[in-house]
Amino acid sequence: MHVVIINGSPRVPRYSNTDKIIGAFERGLAGKGVTCEKYAISNRNSWEDICHAYETNTQIIIALPLYVECVPGLFLEFLDILPRKTQETQLSFILQGGFAEGCQYRCGERFLKKLPDYLGCSYGGCLVKGDNFSIRLLEKEQQDRATQPYERMGEVFAVEHNFNSKEAKDFTGDEYYSLPRRILLDIAFKTIVRGIFKRAAKSWGCKEKLDAKPYRI
């Protein structure tokens, strides 16, 4: 099997959490003998090449982030140039983002579920998982640990050829967090996660505090 993976994030790969996730997923595919080619829509100059790969292959995965229950605008613009195909082409999705609970992604998932039919393709399922906001801020070793579960999902896809297995469905995790867990996460965000953001901001040359309000009247 040969798979074309399209990164639907507007961010360039260097700053894209989706790119890091695709890298881990690709390792899982490769471990099962599946070949893969990757593209990113953030590079508009590559759109013609992406369309060619889309037209000449039948196993397509589009990976993208969810922004406040809405897919990126650049991705919607990219969809306008894709031609209709036949049911022989399977279109699957990896939907990820910073929100932790699975319920935050269901609106986006429903949109993606309808998309293959508009394009004439069959639907291969949608792999959904959140809590990925800080991946690109981590050191390489920490990034590898954070994205390692996606390597396993690459292996699952290589065997099942879709995201319809129970393991893929369970990958999302909790649909809703319990109150005690939400309290613990709030504490962690105000301490550990805030510390990560501070270090990242400092490395980018920021001199103001994270909670600075320069435009407040």
Side-chain angles (χ1 to χ4, degrees):
M1 182 170 65
H2 182 74
V3 179
V4 171
I5 303 181
I6 302 171
N7 183 346
S9 171
R11 286 178 174 168
V12 296
R14 179 181 176 185
Y15 298 112
S16 169
N17 290 330
T18 306
D19 177 73
K20 311 302 182 290
I21 287 168
I22 289 173
F25 188 84
E26 182 187 18
R27 290 195 294 273
L29 291 176
K32 292 293 184 179
V34 175
T35 56
C36 173
E37 54 185 295
K38 301 184 296 182
Y39 300 91
I41 68 169
S42 58
N43 178 10
R44 286 178 176 268
N45 293 330
S46 70
W47 282 20
E48 185 175 337
D49 293 335
I50 299 175
C51 278
H52 178 72
Y54 175 83
E55 290 183 277
T56 55
N57 289 275
T58 58
Q59 193 65 265
I60 314 293
I61 297 176
I62 298 178
L64 69 159
L66 188 73
Y67 295 152
V68 195
E69 296 191 351
C70 183
V71 298
L74 184 64
F75 174 67
L76 294 177
E77 183 180 344
F78 169 75
L79 291 178
D80 285 339
I81 70 171
L82 292 181
R84 284 184 61 84
K85 296 192 70 178
T86 66
Q87 290 286 306
E88 292 180 356
T89 294
Q90 177 177 277
L91 189 56
S92 309
F93 301 93
I94 297 175
L95 184 63
Q96 66 86 22
F99 305 110
E101 298 169 303
C103 63
Q104 301 280 359
Y105 298 86
R106 299 311 174 192
C107 180
E109 182 184 20
R110 286 195 294 272
F111 168 76
L112 295 176
K113 187 175 182 179
K114 294 179 179 180
L115 186 56
D117 187 54
Y118 291 133
L119 295 171
C121 306
S122 60
Y123 178 57
C126 184
L127 186 69
V128 178
K129 191 169 182 61
D131 202 19
N132 292 322
F133 180 81
S134 62
I135 288 177
R136 68 188 181 91
L137 303 178
L138 302 174
E139 298 296 330
K140 181 63 168 62
E141 185 176 335
Q142 294 173 312
Q143 279 186 7
D144 291 342
R145 284 200 299 269
T147 58
Q148 195 279 329
Y150 284 95
E151 184 172 338
R152 170 58 189 163
M153 287 299 101
E155 296 173 352
V156 171
F157 189 90
V159 174
E160 302 290 339
H161 296 186
N162 57 56
F163 291 127
N164 297 324
S165 67
K166 184 178 185 302
E167 186 173 356
K169 297 296 184 183
D170 291 344
F171 185 67
T172 304
D174 292 334
E175 194 70 8
Y176 297 94
Y177 282 171
S178 65
L179 178 59
R181 186 170 185 181
R182 293 202 301 270
I183 292 173
L184 288 174
L185 286 172
D186 184 56
I187 294 172
F189 184 84
K190 291 177 178 177
T191 55
I192 300 172
V193 177
R194 189 174 177 81
I196 294 174
F197 288 166
K198 283 183 177 180
R199 289 194 295 274
K202 185 177 180 179
S203 69
W204 295 335
C206 298
K207 297 180 180 179
E208 299 294 332
K209 295 182 178 179
L210 291 179
D211 55 359
K213 301 176 181 179
Y215 301 109
R216 183 177 182 180
I217 298 176

mmCIF file with all atom_site columns, all heavy atoms in Angstrom, residues 119-144:
data_model
loop_
_atom_site.group_PDB
_atom_site.id
_atom_site.type_symbol
_atom_site.label_atom_id
_atom_site.label_alt_id
_atom_site.label_comp_id
_atom_site.label_asym_id
_atom_site.label_entity_id
_atom_site.label_seq_id
_atom_site.pdbx_PDB_ins_code
_atom_site.Cartn_x
_atom_site.Cartn_y
_atom_site.Cartn_z
_atom_site.occupancy
_atom_site.B_iso_or_equiv
_atom_site.pdbx_formal_charge
_atom_site.auth_seq_id
_atom_site.auth_comp_id
_atom_site.auth_asym_id
_atom_site.auth_atom_id
_atom_site.pdbx_PDB_model_num
ATOM 1   N N   . LEU A 1 119 ? -16.428 15.066 -2.818 1.00 0.00 ? 119 LEU A N   1
ATOM 2   C CA  . LEU A 1 119 ? -15.319 14.885 -3.745 1.00 0.00 ? 119 LEU A CA  1
ATOM 3   C C   . LEU A 1 119 ? -15.406 13.579 -4.522 1.00 0.00 ? 119 LEU A C   1
ATOM 4   O O   . LEU A 1 119 ? -14.514 13.256 -5.312 1.00 0.00 ? 119 LEU A O   1
ATOM 5   C CB  . LEU A 1 119 ? -13.988 14.939 -2.982 1.00 0.00 ? 119 LEU A CB  1
ATOM 6   C CG  . LEU A 1 119 ? -13.659 16.294 -2.341 1.00 0.00 ? 119 LEU A CG  1
ATOM 7   C CD1 . LEU A 1 119 ? -12.444 16.173 -1.420 1.00 0.00 ? 119 LEU A CD1 1
ATOM 8   C CD2 . LEU A 1 119 ? -13.408 17.352 -3.410 1.00 0.00 ? 119 LEU A CD2 1
ATOM 9   N N   . GLY A 1 120 ? -16.485 12.818 -4.275 1.00 0.00 ? 120 GLY A N   1
ATOM 10  C CA  . GLY A 1 120 ? -16.684 11.563 -4.997 1.00 0.00 ? 120 GLY A CA  1
ATOM 11  C C   . GLY A 1 120 ? -15.923 10.381 -4.429 1.00 0.00 ? 120 GLY A C   1
ATOM 12  O O   . GLY A 1 120 ? -15.919 9.299  -5.021 1.00 0.00 ? 120 GLY A O   1
ATOM 13  N N   . CYS A 1 121 ? -15.262 10.572 -3.285 1.00 0.00 ? 121 CYS A N   1
ATOM 14  C CA  . CYS A 1 121 ? -14.418 9.529  -2.687 1.00 0.00 ? 121 CYS A CA  1
ATOM 15  C C   . CYS A 1 121 ? -15.181 8.719  -1.634 1.00 0.00 ? 121 CYS A C   1
ATOM 16  O O   . CYS A 1 121 ? -16.273 9.092  -1.208 1.00 0.00 ? 121 CYS A O   1
ATOM 17  C CB  . CYS A 1 121 ? -13.183 10.147 -2.027 1.00 0.00 ? 121 CYS A CB  1
ATOM 18  S SG  . CYS A 1 121 ? -12.211 11.219 -3.097 1.00 0.00 ? 121 CYS A SG  1
ATOM 19  N N   . SER A 1 122 ? -14.605 7.639  -1.202 1.00 0.00 ? 122 SER A N   1
ATOM 20  C CA  . SER A 1 122 ? -15.122 6.887  -0.064 1.00 0.00 ? 122 SER A CA  1
ATOM 21  C C   . SER A 1 122 ? -14.478 7.428  1.208  1.00 0.00 ? 122 SER A C   1
ATOM 22  O O   . SER A 1 122 ? -13.422 8.068  1.151  1.00 0.00 ? 122 SER A O   1
ATOM 23  C CB  . SER A 1 122 ? -14.839 5.391  -0.222 1.00 0.00 ? 122 SER A CB  1
ATOM 24  O OG  . SER A 1 122 ? -13.434 5.154  -0.319 1.00 0.00 ? 122 SER A OG  1
ATOM 25  N N   . TYR A 1 123 ? -15.104 7.186  2.344  1.00 0.00 ? 123 TYR A N   1
ATOM 26  C CA  . TYR A 1 123 ? -14.652 7.726  3.628  1.00 0.00 ? 123 TYR A CA  1
ATOM 27  C C   . TYR A 1 123 ? -13.924 6.653  4.426  1.00 0.00 ? 123 TYR A C   1
ATOM 28  O O   . TYR A 1 123 ? -14.468 5.578  4.682  1.00 0.00 ? 123 TYR A O   1
ATOM 29  C CB  . TYR A 1 123 ? -15.864 8.242  4.398  1.00 0.00 ? 123 TYR A CB  1
ATOM 30  C CG  . TYR A 1 123 ? -15.580 8.806  5.775  1.00 0.00 ? 123 TYR A CG  1
ATOM 31  C CD1 . TYR A 1 123 ? -14.681 9.848  5.953  1.00 0.00 ? 123 TYR A CD1 1
ATOM 32  C CD2 . TYR A 1 123 ? -16.244 8.294  6.899  1.00 0.00 ? 123 TYR A CD2 1
ATOM 33  C CE1 . TYR A 1 123 ? -14.437 10.380 7.208  1.00 0.00 ? 123 TYR A CE1 1
ATOM 34  C CE2 . TYR A 1 123 ? -16.019 8.829  8.160  1.00 0.00 ? 123 TYR A CE2 1
ATOM 35  C CZ  . TYR A 1 123 ? -15.118 9.868  8.312  1.00 0.00 ? 123 TYR A CZ  1
ATOM 36  O OH  . TYR A 1 123 ? -14.890 10.394 9.564  1.00 0.00 ? 123 TYR A OH  1
ATOM 37  N N   . GLY A 1 124 ? -12.680 6.953  4.829  1.00 0.00 ? 124 GLY A N   1
ATOM 38  C CA  . GLY A 1 124 ? -11.883 5.991  5.573  1.00 0.00 ? 124 GLY A CA  1
ATOM 39  C C   . GLY A 1 124 ? -11.820 6.249  7.058  1.00 0.00 ? 124 GLY A C   1
ATOM 40  O O   . GLY A 1 124 ? -11.019 5.646  7.766  1.00 0.00 ? 124 GLY A O   1
ATOM 41  N N   . GLY A 1 125 ? -12.676 7.149  7.553  1.00 0.00 ? 125 GLY A N   1
ATOM 42  C CA  . GLY A 1 125 ? -12.695 7.425  8.987  1.00 0.00 ? 125 GLY A CA  1
ATOM 43  C C   . GLY A 1 125 ? -11.849 8.625  9.363  1.00 0.00 ? 125 GLY A C   1
ATOM 44  O O   . GLY A 1 125 ? -11.076 9.165  8.550  1.00 0.00 ? 125 GLY A O   1
ATOM 45  N N   . CYS A 1 126 ? -11.987 9.026  10.619 1.00 0.00 ? 126 CYS A N   1
ATOM 46  C CA  . CYS A 1 126 ? -11.273 10.196 11.132 1.00 0.00 ? 126 CYS A CA  1
ATOM 47  C C   . CYS A 1 126 ? -10.638 9.853  12.478 1.00 0.00 ? 126 CYS A C   1
ATOM 48  O O   . CYS A 1 126 ? -11.342 9.465  13.418 1.00 0.00 ? 126 CYS A O   1
ATOM 49  C CB  . CYS A 1 126 ? -12.249 11.364 11.279 1.00 0.00 ? 126 CYS A CB  1
ATOM 50  S SG  . CYS A 1 126 ? -11.487 12.918 11.790 1.00 0.00 ? 126 CYS A SG  1
ATOM 51  N N   . LEU A 1 127 ? -9.333  9.979  12.556 1.00 0.00 ? 127 LEU A N   1
ATOM 52  C CA  . LEU A 1 127 ? -8.606  9.754  13.806 1.00 0.00 ? 127 LEU A CA  1
ATOM 53  C C   . LEU A 1 127 ? -8.603  11.067 14.582 1.00 0.00 ? 127 LEU A C   1
ATOM 54  O O   . LEU A 1 127 ? -8.067  12.072 14.111 1.00 0.00 ? 127 LEU A O   1
ATOM 55  C CB  . LEU A 1 127 ? -7.177  9.304  13.512 1.00 0.00 ? 127 LEU A CB  1
ATOM 56  C CG  . LEU A 1 127 ? -6.328  8.897  14.721 1.00 0.00 ? 127 LEU A CG  1
ATOM 57  C CD1 . LEU A 1 127 ? -6.861  7.601  15.331 1.00 0.00 ? 127 LEU A CD1 1
ATOM 58  C CD2 . LEU A 1 127 ? -4.870  8.720  14.315 1.00 0.00 ? 127 LEU A CD2 1
ATOM 59  N N   . VAL A 1 128 ? -9.189  11.056 15.766 1.00 0.00 ? 128 VAL A N   1
ATOM 60  C CA  . VAL A 1 128 ? -9.387  12.281 16.536 1.00 0.00 ? 128 VAL A CA  1
ATOM 61  C C   . VAL A 1 128 ? -8.620  12.232 17.854 1.00 0.00 ? 128 VAL A C   1
ATOM 62  O O   . VAL A 1 128 ? -8.717  11.268 18.599 1.00 0.00 ? 128 VAL A O   1
ATOM 63  C CB  . VAL A 1 128 ? -10.888 12.502 16.833 1.00 0.00 ? 128 VAL A CB  1
ATOM 64  C CG1 . VAL A 1 128 ? -11.077 13.755 17.677 1.00 0.00 ? 128 VAL A CG1 1
ATOM 65  C CG2 . VAL A 1 128 ? -11.683 12.593 15.545 1.00 0.00 ? 128 VAL A CG2 1
ATOM 66  N N   . LYS A 1 129 ? -7.842  13.289 18.121 1.00 0.00 ? 129 LYS A N   1
ATOM 67  C CA  . LYS A 1 129 ? -7.174  13.387 19.421 1.00 0.00 ? 129 LYS A CA  1
ATOM 68  C C   . LYS A 1 129 ? -6.759  14.827 19.679 1.00 0.00 ? 129 LYS A C   1
ATOM 69  O O   . LYS A 1 129 ? -6.318  15.522 18.763 1.00 0.00 ? 129 LYS A O   1
ATOM 70  C CB  . LYS A 1 129 ? -5.957  12.482 19.512 1.00 0.00 ? 129 LYS A CB  1
ATOM 71  C CG  . LYS A 1 129 ? -5.396  12.373 20.933 1.00 0.00 ? 129 LYS A CG  1
ATOM 72  C CD  . LYS A 1 129 ? -4.361  11.273 21.038 1.00 0.00 ? 129 LYS A CD  1
ATOM 73  C CE  . LYS A 1 129 ? -3.844  11.136 22.463 1.00 0.00 ? 129 LYS A CE  1
ATOM 74  N NZ  . LYS A 1 129 ? -4.929  10.788 23.410 1.00 0.00 ? 129 LYS A NZ  1
ATOM 75  N N   . GLY A 1 130 ? -6.911  15.247 20.936 1.00 0.00 ? 130 GLY A N   1
ATOM 76  C CA  . GLY A 1 130 ? -6.533  16.601 21.304 1.00 0.00 ? 130 GLY A CA  1
ATOM 77  C C   . GLY A 1 130 ? -5.381  16.655 22.278 1.00 0.00 ? 130 GLY A C   1
ATOM 78  O O   . GLY A 1 130 ? -4.577  15.725 22.378 1.00 0.00 ? 130 GLY A O   1
ATOM 79  N N   . ASP A 1 131 ? -5.289  17.766 22.997 1.00 0.00 ? 131 ASP A N   1
ATOM 80  C CA  . ASP A 1 131 ? -4.246  18.000 23.981 1.00 0.00 ? 131 ASP A CA  1
ATOM 81  C C   . ASP A 1 131 ? -2.860  18.016 23.336 1.00 0.00 ? 131 ASP A C   1
ATOM 82  O O   . ASP A 1 131 ? -1.892  17.539 23.908 1.00 0.00 ? 131 ASP A O   1
ATOM 83  C CB  . ASP A 1 131 ? -4.305  16.943 25.090 1.00 0.00 ? 131 ASP A CB  1
ATOM 84  C CG  . ASP A 1 131 ? -3.641  17.419 26.381 1.00 0.00 ? 131 ASP A CG  1
ATOM 85  O OD1 . ASP A 1 131 ? -3.471  18.645 26.550 1.00 0.00 ? 131 ASP A OD1 1
ATOM 86  O OD2 . ASP A 1 131 ? -3.287  16.566 27.220 1.00 0.00 ? 131 ASP A OD2 1
ATOM 87  N N   . ASN A 1 132 ? -2.780  18.594 22.134 1.00 0.00 ? 132 ASN A N   1
ATOM 88  C CA  . ASN A 1 132 ? -1.525  18.606 21.380 1.00 0.00 ? 132 ASN A CA  1
ATOM 89  C C   . ASN A 1 132 ? -0.924  20.001 21.219 1.00 0.00 ? 132 ASN A C   1
ATOM 90  O O   . ASN A 1 132 ? 0.018   20.186 20.454 1.00 0.00 ? 132 ASN A O   1
ATOM 91  C CB  . ASN A 1 132 ? -1.756  18.024 19.972 1.00 0.00 ? 132 ASN A CB  1
ATOM 92  C CG  . ASN A 1 132 ? -2.062  16.547 19.995 1.00 0.00 ? 132 ASN A CG  1
ATOM 93  O OD1 . ASN A 1 132 ? -1.493  15.805 20.784 1.00 0.00 ? 132 ASN A OD1 1
ATOM 94  N ND2 . ASN A 1 132 ? -2.973  16.114 19.138 1.00 0.00 ? 132 ASN A ND2 1
ATOM 95  N N   . PHE A 1 133 ? -1.450  20.975 21.943 1.00 0.00 ? 133 PHE A N   1
ATOM 96  C CA  . PHE A 1 133 ? -1.061  22.362 21.716 1.00 0.00 ? 133 PHE A CA  1
ATOM 97  C C   . PHE A 1 133 ? 0.438   22.609 21.842 1.00 0.00 ? 133 PHE A C   1
ATOM 98  O O   . PHE A 1 133 ? 1.026   23.366 21.069 1.00 0.00 ? 133 PHE A O   1
ATOM 99  C CB  . PHE A 1 133 ? -1.809  23.277 22.691 1.00 0.00 ? 133 PHE A CB  1
ATOM 100 C CG  . PHE A 1 133 ? -1.476  24.737 22.523 1.00 0.00 ? 133 PHE A CG  1
ATOM 101 C CD1 . PHE A 1 133 ? -2.078  25.492 21.531 1.00 0.00 ? 133 PHE A CD1 1
ATOM 102 C CD2 . PHE A 1 133 ? -0.535  25.352 23.342 1.00 0.00 ? 133 PHE A CD2 1
ATOM 103 C CE1 . PHE A 1 133 ? -1.763  26.833 21.359 1.00 0.00 ? 133 PHE A CE1 1
ATOM 104 C CE2 . PHE A 1 133 ? -0.218  26.692 23.178 1.00 0.00 ? 133 PHE A CE2 1
ATOM 105 C CZ  . PHE A 1 133 ? -0.835  27.432 22.185 1.00 0.00 ? 133 PHE A CZ  1
ATOM 106 N N   . SER A 1 134 ? 1.075   21.976 22.824 1.00 0.00 ? 134 SER A N   1
ATOM 107 C CA  . SER A 1 134 ? 2.467   22.332 23.148 1.00 0.00 ? 134 SER A CA  1
ATOM 108 C C   . SER A 1 134 ? 3.518   21.470 22.452 1.00 0.00 ? 134 SER A C   1
ATOM 109 O O   . SER A 1 134 ? 4.714   21.632 22.715 1.00 0.00 ? 134 SER A O   1
ATOM 110 C CB  . SER A 1 134 ? 2.683   22.240 24.663 1.00 0.00 ? 134 SER A CB  1
ATOM 111 O OG  . SER A 1 134 ? 2.465   20.916 25.131 1.00 0.00 ? 134 SER A OG  1
ATOM 112 N N   . ILE A 1 135 ? 3.122   20.583 21.548 1.00 0.00 ? 135 ILE A N   1
ATOM 113 C CA  . ILE A 1 135 ? 4.087   19.665 20.930 1.00 0.00 ? 135 ILE A CA  1
ATOM 114 C C   . ILE A 1 135 ? 5.273   20.400 20.323 1.00 0.00 ? 135 ILE A C   1
ATOM 115 O O   . ILE A 1 135 ? 6.433   20.051 20.552 1.00 0.00 ? 135 ILE A O   1
ATOM 116 C CB  . ILE A 1 135 ? 3.401   18.794 19.855 1.00 0.00 ? 135 ILE A CB  1
ATOM 117 C CG1 . ILE A 1 135 ? 2.481   17.763 20.515 1.00 0.00 ? 135 ILE A CG1 1
ATOM 118 C CG2 . ILE A 1 135 ? 4.445   18.071 18.997 1.00 0.00 ? 135 ILE A CG2 1
ATOM 119 C CD1 . ILE A 1 135 ? 1.722   16.906 19.523 1.00 0.00 ? 135 ILE A CD1 1
ATOM 120 N N   . ARG A 1 136 ? 5.009   21.413 19.534 1.00 0.00 ? 136 ARG A N   1
ATOM 121 C CA  . ARG A 1 136 ? 6.102   22.109 18.831 1.00 0.00 ? 136 ARG A CA  1
ATOM 122 C C   . ARG A 1 136 ? 6.988   22.911 19.778 1.00 0.00 ? 136 ARG A C   1
ATOM 123 O O   . ARG A 1 136 ? 8.081   23.333 19.394 1.00 0.00 ? 136 ARG A O   1
ATOM 124 C CB  . ARG A 1 136 ? 5.539   23.032 17.743 1.00 0.00 ? 136 ARG A CB  1
ATOM 125 C CG  . ARG A 1 136 ? 4.760   24.220 18.257 1.00 0.00 ? 136 ARG A CG  1
ATOM 126 C CD  . ARG A 1 136 ? 4.083   24.976 17.128 1.00 0.00 ? 136 ARG A CD  1
ATOM 127 N NE  . ARG A 1 136 ? 3.338   26.130 17.599 1.00 0.00 ? 136 ARG A NE  1
ATOM 128 C CZ  . ARG A 1 136 ? 3.850   27.350 17.712 1.00 0.00 ? 136 ARG A CZ  1
ATOM 129 N NH1 . ARG A 1 136 ? 5.105   27.567 17.377 1.00 0.00 ? 136 ARG A NH1 1
ATOM 130 N NH2 . ARG A 1 136 ? 3.114   28.347 18.154 1.00 0.00 ? 136 ARG A NH2 1
ATOM 131 N N   . LEU A 1 137 ? 6.544   23.112 21.020 1.00 0.00 ? 137 LEU A N   1
ATOM 132 C CA  . LEU A 1 137 ? 7.332   23.864 21.992 1.00 0.00 ? 137 LEU A CA  1
ATOM 133 C C   . LEU A 1 137 ? 8.289   22.961 22.769 1.00 0.00 ? 137 LEU A C   1
ATOM 134 O O   . LEU A 1 137 ? 9.154   23.462 23.491 1.00 0.00 ? 137 LEU A O   1
ATOM 135 C CB  . LEU A 1 137 ? 6.401   24.575 22.983 1.00 0.00 ? 137 LEU A CB  1
ATOM 136 C CG  . LEU A 1 137 ? 5.360   25.532 22.380 1.00 0.00 ? 137 LEU A CG  1
ATOM 137 C CD1 . LEU A 1 137 ? 4.491   26.109 23.481 1.00 0.00 ? 137 LEU A CD1 1
ATOM 138 C CD2 . LEU A 1 137 ? 6.033   26.632 21.582 1.00 0.00 ? 137 LEU A CD2 1
ATOM 139 N N   . LEU A 1 138 ? 8.139   21.655 22.616 1.00 0.00 ? 138 LEU A N   1
ATOM 140 C CA  . LEU A 1 138 ? 8.937   20.697 23.377 1.00 0.00 ? 138 LEU A CA  1
ATOM 141 C C   . LEU A 1 138 ? 10.277  20.424 22.705 1.00 0.00 ? 138 LEU A C   1
ATOM 142 O O   . LEU A 1 138 ? 10.444  20.620 21.496 1.00 0.00 ? 138 LEU A O   1
ATOM 143 C CB  . LEU A 1 138 ? 8.163   19.382 23.535 1.00 0.00 ? 138 LEU A CB  1
ATOM 144 C CG  . LEU A 1 138 ? 6.791   19.460 24.206 1.00 0.00 ? 138 LEU A CG  1
ATOM 145 C CD1 . LEU A 1 138 ? 6.104   18.103 24.147 1.00 0.00 ? 138 LEU A CD1 1
ATOM 146 C CD2 . LEU A 1 138 ? 6.919   19.932 25.651 1.00 0.00 ? 138 LEU A CD2 1
ATOM 147 N N   . GLU A 1 139 ? 11.227  19.947 23.517 1.00 0.00 ? 139 GLU A N   1
ATOM 148 C CA  . GLU A 1 139 ? 12.496  19.484 22.961 1.00 0.00 ? 139 GLU A CA  1
ATOM 149 C C   . GLU A 1 139 ? 12.255  18.198 22.170 1.00 0.00 ? 139 GLU A C   1
ATOM 150 O O   . GLU A 1 139 ? 11.238  17.525 22.343 1.00 0.00 ? 139 GLU A O   1
ATOM 151 C CB  . GLU A 1 139 ? 13.507  19.238 24.083 1.00 0.00 ? 139 GLU A CB  1
ATOM 152 C CG  . GLU A 1 139 ? 13.856  20.473 24.890 1.00 0.00 ? 139 GLU A CG  1
ATOM 153 C CD  . GLU A 1 139 ? 14.547  21.541 24.054 1.00 0.00 ? 139 GLU A CD  1
ATOM 154 O OE1 . GLU A 1 139 ? 15.247  21.165 23.094 1.00 0.00 ? 139 GLU A OE1 1
ATOM 155 O OE2 . GLU A 1 139 ? 14.377  22.739 24.366 1.00 0.00 ? 139 GLU A OE2 1
ATOM 156 N N   . LYS A 1 140 ? 13.210  17.844 21.290 1.00 0.00 ? 140 LYS A N   1
ATOM 157 C CA  . LYS A 1 140 ? 13.031  16.719 20.370 1.00 0.00 ? 140 LYS A CA  1
ATOM 158 C C   . LYS A 1 140 ? 12.647  15.432 21.111 1.00 0.00 ? 140 LYS A C   1
ATOM 159 O O   . LYS A 1 140 ? 11.709  14.721 20.694 1.00 0.00 ? 140 LYS A O   1
ATOM 160 C CB  . LYS A 1 140 ? 14.318  16.483 19.583 1.00 0.00 ? 140 LYS A CB  1
ATOM 161 C CG  . LYS A 1 140 ? 14.252  15.351 18.575 1.00 0.00 ? 140 LYS A CG  1
ATOM 162 C CD  . LYS A 1 140 ? 13.229  15.624 17.486 1.00 0.00 ? 140 LYS A CD  1
ATOM 163 C CE  . LYS A 1 140 ? 13.365  14.644 16.323 1.00 0.00 ? 140 LYS A CE  1
ATOM 164 N NZ  . LYS A 1 140 ? 13.135  13.243 16.732 1.00 0.00 ? 140 LYS A NZ  1
ATOM 165 N N   . GLU A 1 141 ? 13.322  15.119 22.190 1.00 0.00 ? 141 GLU A N   1
ATOM 166 C CA  . GLU A 1 141 ? 13.035  13.884 22.921 1.00 0.00 ? 141 GLU A CA  1
ATOM 167 C C   . GLU A 1 141 ? 11.622  13.894 23.487 1.00 0.00 ? 141 GLU A C   1
ATOM 168 O O   . GLU A 1 141 ? 10.907  12.893 23.444 1.00 0.00 ? 141 GLU A O   1
ATOM 169 C CB  . GLU A 1 141 ? 14.057  13.700 24.050 1.00 0.00 ? 141 GLU A CB  1
ATOM 170 C CG  . GLU A 1 141 ? 13.912  12.377 24.782 1.00 0.00 ? 141 GLU A CG  1
ATOM 171 C CD  . GLU A 1 141 ? 14.993  12.170 25.824 1.00 0.00 ? 141 GLU A CD  1
ATOM 172 O OE1 . GLU A 1 141 ? 16.084  12.763 25.686 1.00 0.00 ? 141 GLU A OE1 1
ATOM 173 O OE2 . GLU A 1 141 ? 14.754  11.416 26.780 1.00 0.00 ? 141 GLU A OE2 1
ATOM 174 N N   . GLN A 1 142 ? 11.201  15.060 24.005 1.00 0.00 ? 142 GLN A N   1
ATOM 175 C CA  . GLN A 1 142 ? 9.855   15.189 24.545 1.00 0.00 ? 142 GLN A CA  1
ATOM 176 C C   . GLN A 1 142 ? 8.809   15.139 23.434 1.00 0.00 ? 142 GLN A C   1
ATOM 177 O O   . GLN A 1 142 ? 7.722   14.576 23.613 1.00 0.00 ? 142 GLN A O   1
ATOM 178 C CB  . GLN A 1 142 ? 9.733   16.495 25.328 1.00 0.00 ? 142 GLN A CB  1
ATOM 179 C CG  . GLN A 1 142 ? 10.582  16.562 26.577 1.00 0.00 ? 142 GLN A CG  1
ATOM 180 C CD  . GLN A 1 142 ? 10.562  17.940 27.215 1.00 0.00 ? 142 GLN A CD  1
ATOM 181 O OE1 . GLN A 1 142 ? 10.737  18.959 26.548 1.00 0.00 ? 142 GLN A OE1 1
ATOM 182 N NE2 . GLN A 1 142 ? 10.322  17.979 28.519 1.00 0.00 ? 142 GLN A NE2 1
ATOM 183 N N   . GLN A 1 143 ? 9.133   15.720 22.290 1.00 0.00 ? 143 GLN A N   1
ATOM 184 C CA  . GLN A 1 143 ? 8.233   15.648 21.144 1.00 0.00 ? 143 GLN A CA  1
ATOM 185 C C   . GLN A 1 143 ? 7.998   14.198 20.730 1.00 0.00 ? 143 GLN A C   1
ATOM 186 O O   . GLN A 1 143 ? 6.865   13.798 20.447 1.00 0.00 ? 143 GLN A O   1
ATOM 187 C CB  . GLN A 1 143 ? 8.818   16.413 19.959 1.00 0.00 ? 143 GLN A CB  1
ATOM 188 C CG  . GLN A 1 143 ? 8.610   17.913 19.987 1.00 0.00 ? 143 GLN A CG  1
ATOM 189 C CD  . GLN A 1 143 ? 9.099   18.574 18.707 1.00 0.00 ? 143 GLN A CD  1
ATOM 190 O OE1 . GLN A 1 143 ? 9.482   17.892 17.746 1.00 0.00 ? 143 GLN A OE1 1
ATOM 191 N NE2 . GLN A 1 143 ? 9.096   19.895 18.680 1.00 0.00 ? 143 GLN A NE2 1
ATOM 192 N N   . ASP A 1 144 ? 9.071   13.429 20.696 1.00 0.00 ? 144 ASP A N   1
ATOM 193 C CA  . ASP A 1 144 ? 8.959   12.020 20.305 1.00 0.00 ? 144 ASP A CA  1
ATOM 194 C C   . ASP A 1 144 ? 8.048   11.252 21.259 1.00 0.00 ? 144 ASP A C   1
ATOM 195 O O   . ASP A 1 144 ? 7.256   10.408 20.825 1.00 0.00 ? 144 ASP A O   1
ATOM 196 C CB  . ASP A 1 144 ? 10.335  11.365 20.258 1.00 0.00 ? 144 ASP A CB  1
ATOM 197 C CG  . ASP A 1 144 ? 11.191  11.893 19.109 1.00 0.00 ? 144 ASP A CG  1
ATOM 198 O OD1 . ASP A 1 144 ? 10.619  12.491 18.176 1.00 0.00 ? 144 ASP A OD1 1
ATOM 199 O OD2 . ASP A 1 144 ? 12.425  11.708 19.147 1.00 0.00 ? 144 ASP A OD2 1
#
